[in-house]
Every structure is written in structure tokens, then in C-alpha cells.
Amino acid sequence: MDLRIFTEPQQGASYDDILAVARATEELGFDAFFRSDHYLSMGGDGLPGPTDAWTTLAGLARETSRIRLGTLVTSATFRHPGVLAIQVAQVDQMSGGRVELGLGAGWFAQEHAAYGIPFPAKRFGPLTEQLEVVTGLWGTPVGERFSYDGEHYTLTDSPALPKPVQRSPLDPSRAGVPVIVGGLGPRRTPALAARFASEFNLSFPPLDQVGEKLETVREACRAIGRDPQSLTMSVALVAAVGKDDAEVDRRAAAIGRDPKELREVGVAGTPTAVVDRLGALAELGVGRVYLQVLDLHDLDHLELVASQVMPQVR
């Protein structure tokens, strides 16, 4: 099982704070460093203020050498798909081909209002078109042009440059980066994942629904003739791991969460309990887990997971 570190910098983190976690992620042997794409904190003052996801990842691309880098997830409301395709391709080049794009519809109306970003009432249509445009731009052969006439976006005679370093996991004859689509919806999100994604993610799902949700995505793959085994299944869960119960309680308190609740819904507890939780997810077909780390100054937390949990699940 791949273990990835997932952060929420909008809650209060500078670039240097993020860099310290990313470097620890790399040095300790985790598979990837991911971050959210938000401009407003959800509780607290958020000081020193938000950092832009793709600006951050561009910096990390030059200051790390091994780990995968990406968003869980970029909000389609924040960027025009043509601009996003350029940004992601450039960061992929800067990283030597280590970038992944999680793309979602956007949901937090208040952050849009706070920074003057339009927040359309219906966002699933624009998300679908963004996936079509971004992957279309990357996949257009060099020397050819890309045009698109949709309800929400129109592109005319684009040179479709620059290209990512990587090849599309869905069509290795074309350029592209791994795309992550996720959500708990019963129909439209699984269909999008089957069509565009190399990974389907469930973020903070009810654990008793994981198996059912993953089977829905497998069915969406079969419906279009895609092998469900070609789609990586992942979950994102909050982490609070401690060498004993007292340390688990301390880490839960540090992020304002009830330790009993975290043990029920997250990756929380002693290393033995956490290994059991990850094993149960693996039996359902989960091959990748994003550990949501909310206290970015507690690097000992990452070291404990790397030394006591990771060797038992790989």
C-alpha cells in the first residue's frame, strides 16, 4: 500500500512550513506529498495566510527529488482549464515528471466570496469540460492544434503547449499526468473517474461505505469497457498515530478533534491499530491512503508512521 502525506496549509502555514513537511515526507520514505487547494481557513485565523497550491508545488518541484507531488484537489472554479493545463505541465517539467492532478468541482462558497472568485450554482458541467480540455490539450500531438466548443469553455486553434514530461496513464502514446477524480456521489463522479482518471479517491468516507463506493466505480469502468484494475483506488483519512494512547490523545487534541471519534473514522491509534485499519482497507481494494496531517510542526508524527506503520503495510 502506498502511503501519502496530505496537508491543509490554508489552516495556517507558510511556504517554509510546507517545505519542512515535504522534505520529511521524502526523507522518511513516503510515496508523495499532496496539499489542498483552498484560500480560506476553516476555523482559526489562518495566519500567516493562504498559499497557492500550484505556486507551492512549483517550489517543491525544485526542492525535492523523489516524491510525487499533487493536489487533493484543485478547484475547477479557481482556474481556466487552459491556464491550469499550462501550470500543471510546467510543474511536471520542473519536477522531472512527478506531478499528479486531483481536480474537483469546488465547494467552499465563502472562500470564493472572500477573494472575488465566481462561484456558479452548477459546477459539475464546468468540471467535466475542464477534464476534457486539460487532457485534450496535453494529449494533442506536438505540431497539431486543439479546439474546443463547449457550453462553458471555448478554445480556438490552440498550439496545446507546453506538454508534461509524463505520458498519460490512460494512453501512453500521448502526453499527460495522472488525474485523480474523487467524491461520494453515486453516479456522475464514478462515470468521470472511469473516463478520465488513473485514480479514484474517497476523501473522509464513512468507513462502512468504502466497499460499496469502490464497487460503484468498478461498475462505471465496466460500463465503458475499461478494466477496473487499471484504476487505483484511494482514500484520504485524518491521521493521529501515537506510540501509546496518551500520545494519540495528545495529537488529537492538538488538531481539535476527539480521540475516540478519530479512532472510529480515521487512521488513528497505536501503530498496531493503524496497521489493522490499513489492512482492512486493503482487503476492500484500497491501494493508496492519504494521511491527512493537520499539525505541520509535528514531524515526529511522520517519523512514527514511517518507522512503525509503513514497513508493515508495504
Side-chain angles (χ1 to χ4, degrees), residues 33 41 68 70 86 93-94 128 184 186 217 226 284 294 302 306:
F33 175 91
S41 65
R68 308 288 294 177
I86 292 170
Q93 292 176 359
M94 293 169 70
T128 302
L184 300 176
V217 182
R226 178 177 177 182
L284 297 173
L294 295 174
L302 275 63

Side-chain angles (χ1 to χ4, degrees), residues 32-168:
F33 175 91
F34 271 58
R35 60 156 293 162
S36 59
D37 188 14
H38 285 295
Y39 292 132
L40 200 66
S41 65
M42 300 162 202
D45 56 24
L47 291 173
T51 49
D52 179 78
W54 286 100
T55 302
T56 297
L57 294 174
L60 297 181
R62 307 302 290 179
E63 299 194 80
T64 60
S65 62
R66 180 189 59 80
I67 51 174
R68 308 288 294 177
L69 301 166
T71 52
L72 204 66
V73 292
T74 288
S75 174
T77 56
F78 288 170
R79 298 165 181 86
H80 189 284
V83 175
L84 181 61
I86 292 170
Q87 290 175 312
V88 177
Q90 182 179 358
V91 178
D92 196 50
Q93 292 176 359
M94 293 169 70
S95 70
R98 294 183 285 123
V99 160
E100 303 181 13
L101 171 63
L103 188 60
W107 62 271
F108 191 16
Q110 188 176 349
E111 69 184 337
H112 291 73
Y115 287 96
I117 303 168
F119 187 68
K122 296 183 178 180
R123 297 179 298 284
F124 196 86
L127 171 62
T128 302
E129 291 193 14
Q130 286 229 1
L131 287 163
E132 292 174 340
V133 169
V134 169
T135 58
L137 286 167
W138 292 336
T140 299
V142 173
E144 297 185 14
R145 299 279 168 158
F146 176 82
S147 294
Y148 183 88
D149 185 13
E151 180 181 351
H152 305 281
Y153 304 104
T154 300
L155 288 76
T156 304
D157 202 26
S158 172
L161 296 171
K163 300 298 186 192
V165 170
Q166 298 177 81
R167 311 305 293 177
S168 168

Side-chain angles (χ1 to χ4, degrees), residues 273-294:
V274 167
V275 169
D276 289 344
R277 169 59 47 82
L278 296 176
L281 290 168
E283 290 180 359
L284 297 173
V286 174
R288 179 172 293 155
V289 174
Y290 293 82
L291 302 174
Q292 186 196 46
V293 176
L294 295 174

